[in-house]
Amino acid sequence: MIIEVGDEILNDLKILKGNFIFTKEKDFFEIHEKSFLIIKNKRVLGIYKNLPKKYEPIKVKDYKDAIIIPSFVDLHVHAPQYLQQGVGLDLELIDWLNKYTFENEMKFVNENYAKKIYSAFVKDLYDNGTLRSCIFGTIHNNSNQILIEEIKKRKISAFVGKVNMDQNAPENLLQTTDDSLKETIEFIDNNSKEDLIKPIITPRFAPSCSLDLLKKLGDLSVKKKIPVQTHLSENKDEVKWVKSLFPSNKNYSDVYLKNQLYGMEKTIMAHAIYLEEEEIKMAKNKNVYLVHCPDANINLSSGIMPVTKYLDMGIQVGLGSDVGAGHMISMTNTIKSAIQSSKIRHIFNNNERILTESEAFYLATKLNGSFFGKTGSFEKGYLFDAIVIDSNQNVIKELSPLEKLERFIYCGDKNDIIARYLEGEEV
Ligand code: GUN
Ligand code: FE
């Protein structure tokens, strides 16, 4: 090993003991039973079956039979829709937006209301072990700032977006193009100095933005090097609507591409179910993440992303809870739903393979984590972001570490998480 251990350096190190599980590659779990993981300067230095002698003076935090896995990353979630979880899910996308979602988001003009909802939302992320996420706020900057303060208080990490809309929504959720742009710039400038929390440019989706606004947001993203998050091809009626609103573009993705909102900077495209062949080819771009939101897609009867087809073509697919179209914030639930959704596609089309458990776990940890840098794995040099899981159900002790993880994904909950680490610190 690389270190020459002087007393000073020893003090910088932390050592945890337990059963470490992660996915360096998507096709299999790496399991280190009853091993020691050493953290130096926020990052993983190495995992050892036997602790090298030189580290013996350092106190070891022993988690015994617990499993320790990378903490979760959610690449698509709407904070203001926290109270919408499970409510009004009989409608399809456009009616759901008009009947429930826009009405709900108007309430965030009120800062007291925002504080109440956002503190509960952020607590739920934290409780469920989602220590990094890409979040939509609303158009209201005062409330967006409250969301950021709540995230800061929990010492977790996020990209947060001020939502942009200048058309096709109720009057009091619309801003002029100029105000929408101006407030986006203010939001970015006010929030660019934080380490763990960063701004992200957030045109809601093509229908709610004029061509002028899309173009100005794209210019801003390129000029200030700010990533982008939006929605793409979630619902068949939405795709038709985009074609009628933007007749000179080749397809939905092209509306974003032509306005520098697709792949110039890191880009999240949530849903991406009904892509044309040409769009699928375009998606093979190292800056583009197509984010699968399986629960939201079933809840709004939108469809199911062909996730294994995309993965086998080398496209980066992420995972999102998409609360409130998705009904649960927990990423174990999203992992399980992604697997089940792929099985439904497989049942109806045998040629499509299912998403394996290790793949779905990889998406929620290492792949999603790559949006934030080197996190989501316990390889050497990765930021140590982790959760420790120890079910208080006594019989679980009979299971192997991998079986404990499988059980946690399908049957566990936030109460099984006994510790959370972000960048090497317990939070
Ligand atoms: N498309 C535009 N806005 C939204 C939203 O809030 N949720 C989902 N699921 N799709 C959208
Ligand atoms: Fe969404």
Side-chain angles (χ1 to χ4, degrees):
M1 276 303 296
I2 46 162
I3 326 176
E4 289 173 13
V5 189
D7 287 348
E8 216 178 332
I9 298 175
L10 271 186
N11 289 339
D12 287 347
L13 303 180
K14 280 195 194 108
I15 304 182
L16 307 186
K17 187 175 184 206
N19 301 290
F20 297 91
I21 308 180
F22 57 100
T23 41
K24 182 175 168 190
E25 281 159 48
K26 69 179 174 56
D27 293 325
F28 53 90
F29 288 104
E30 251 191 59
I31 304 164
H32 297 255
E33 275 189 59
K34 297 229 182 306
S35 296
F36 299 86
L37 183 145
I38 304 184
I39 304 163
K40 187 188 182 201
N41 288 339
K42 307 178 177 185
R43 293 177 190 273
V44 177
L45 190 62
I47 303 180
Y48 302 85
K49 185 76 194 167
N50 300 301
L51 190 65
K53 215 169 169 48
K54 61 188 173 191
Y55 299 128
E56 275 171 10
I58 305 171
K59 204 172 121 218
V60 173
K61 174 85 189 157
D62 188 353
Y63 284 110
K64 307 227 156 56
D65 291 327
I67 55 169
I68 305 175
I69 62 173
S71 54
F72 296 117
V73 181
D74 187 345
L75 282 192
H76 184 66
V77 60
H78 297 259
Q81 295 173 16
Y82 185 64
L83 266 195
Q84 282 183 251
Q85 288 176 108
V87 176
L89 292 172
D90 285 342
L91 300 177
E92 291 197 19
L93 176 66
I94 294 164
D95 291 337
W96 173 81
L97 286 171
N98 287 322
K99 178 148 186 219
Y100 298 111
T101 307
F102 290 151
E103 293 294 322
N104 169 52
E105 288 188 19
M106 285 173 201
K107 296 178 189 163
F108 288 79
V109 70
N110 178 331
E111 292 168 30
N112 291 329
Y113 185 77
K115 172 120 178 81
K116 202 186 298 179
I117 305 305
Y118 286 158
S119 64
F121 166 78
V122 175
K123 178 176 188 300
D124 214 11
L125 282 177
Y126 168 91
D127 283 347
N128 280 284
T130 303
L131 303 187
R132 297 185 191 264
S133 46
C134 291
I135 307 176
F136 277 54
T138 61
I139 64 162
H140 314 95
N141 264 353
N142 289 354
S143 293
N144 292 332
Q145 211 55 46
I146 290 168
L147 172 58
I148 289 202
E149 295 311 316
E150 291 299 321
I151 297 166
K152 254 192 229 171
K153 270 192 224 161
R154 291 271 166 199
K155 297 190 165 67
I156 61 176
S157 171
F159 282 95
V160 179
K162 175 241 182 292
V163 169
N164 298 99
M165 292 195 267
D166 70 345
Q167 62 176 31
N168 292 319
E171 203 56 38
N172 48 0
L173 263 196
L174 292 179
Q175 296 181 295
T176 64
T177 308
D178 286 347
D179 284 349
S180 190
L181 182 73
K182 181 170 111 310
E183 292 187 19
T184 304
I185 294 170
E186 284 167 7
F187 182 74
I188 291 170
D189 290 346
N190 287 339
N191 294 293
S192 287
K193 289 182 191 70
E194 293 291 326
D195 238 13
L196 293 174
I197 305 170
K198 303 273 184 215
I200 182 165
I201 290 177
T202 307
R204 180 177 209 116
F205 66 157
S208 59
C209 298
S210 65
L211 203 50
D212 191 28
L213 181 56
L214 290 173
K215 183 176 172 322
K216 286 173 169 156
L217 292 173
D219 286 345
L220 183 65
S221 161
V222 171
K223 185 170 139 227
K224 290 190 179 266
K225 298 195 183 321
I226 307 286
V228 173
Q229 61 178 355
T230 188
H231 297 90
L232 172 68
S233 292
E234 174 177 4
N235 165 293
K236 285 183 179 164
D237 291 334
E238 173 210 12
V239 175
K240 275 193 217 146
W241 192 24
V242 170
K243 292 211 157 173
S244 72
L245 289 169
F246 301 91
S248 63
N249 288 93
K250 268 190 278 186
N251 49 52
Y252 197 158
S253 304
D254 190 54
V255 177
Y256 296 128
L257 181 77
K258 289 281 154 46
N259 292 292
Q260 305 189 86
L261 290 163
Y262 190 101
M264 298 290 287
E265 297 296 322
K266 273 186 296 179
T267 308
I268 286 175
M269 290 284 153
H271 307 298
I273 301 173
Y274 297 108
L275 298 186
E276 296 173 4
E277 281 310 311
E278 205 168 323
E279 293 180 277
I280 293 175
K281 282 192 204 129
M282 261 171 75
K284 262 182 94 166
N285 175 325
K286 69 174 177 25
N287 273 341
V288 173
Y289 291 68
L290 301 185
V291 176
H292 183 27
C293 303
D295 275 331
N297 295 155
I298 302 262
N299 287 336
L300 300 184
S301 308
S302 299
I304 304 176
M305 177 200 264
V307 57
T308 51
K309 173 179 159 182
Y310 290 170
L311 284 174
D312 293 346
M313 294 177 79
I315 292 170
Q316 285 185 112
V317 179
L319 274 188
S321 69
D322 197 17
V323 158
H327 56 283
M328 287 179 87
I329 220 160
S330 103
M331 288 305 289
T332 52
N333 172 71
T334 304
I335 289 170
K336 176 215 65 162
S337 295
I339 294 168
Q340 289 181 332
S341 285
S342 88
K343 287 177 178 171
I344 293 170
R345 282 192 71 107
H346 174 75
I347 290 165
F348 288 102
N349 176 4
N350 265 243
N351 295 325
E352 256 186 69
R353 70 174 184 86
I354 64 163
L355 185 71
T356 65
E357 200 164 40
S358 70
E359 283 179 306
F361 184 84
Y362 173 91
L363 300 189
T365 54
K366 188 171 173 182
L367 192 290
N368 276 6
S370 70
F371 199 81
F372 288 76
K374 269 180 129 178
T375 171
S377 180
F378 295 153
E379 291 153 68
K380 185 178 173 192
Y382 273 66
L383 288 164
F384 184 71
D385 294 352
I387 53 179
V388 183
I389 294 143
D390 195 8
S391 171
N392 52 21
Q393 226 187 322
N394 213 25
V395 287
I396 299 278
K397 287 196 172 48
E398 305 299 324
L399 298 177
S400 72
L402 180 58
E403 288 168 339
K404 284 179 185 166
L405 174 60
E406 294 179 294
R407 178 122 178 157
F408 172 63
I409 287 170
Y410 279 87
C411 325
D413 69 30
K414 60 191 177 193
N415 298 318
D416 299 333
I417 303 176
I418 60 162
R420 297 161 182 80
Y421 287 83
L422 191 77
E423 302 196 354
E425 297 293 333
E426 192 166 356
V427 291

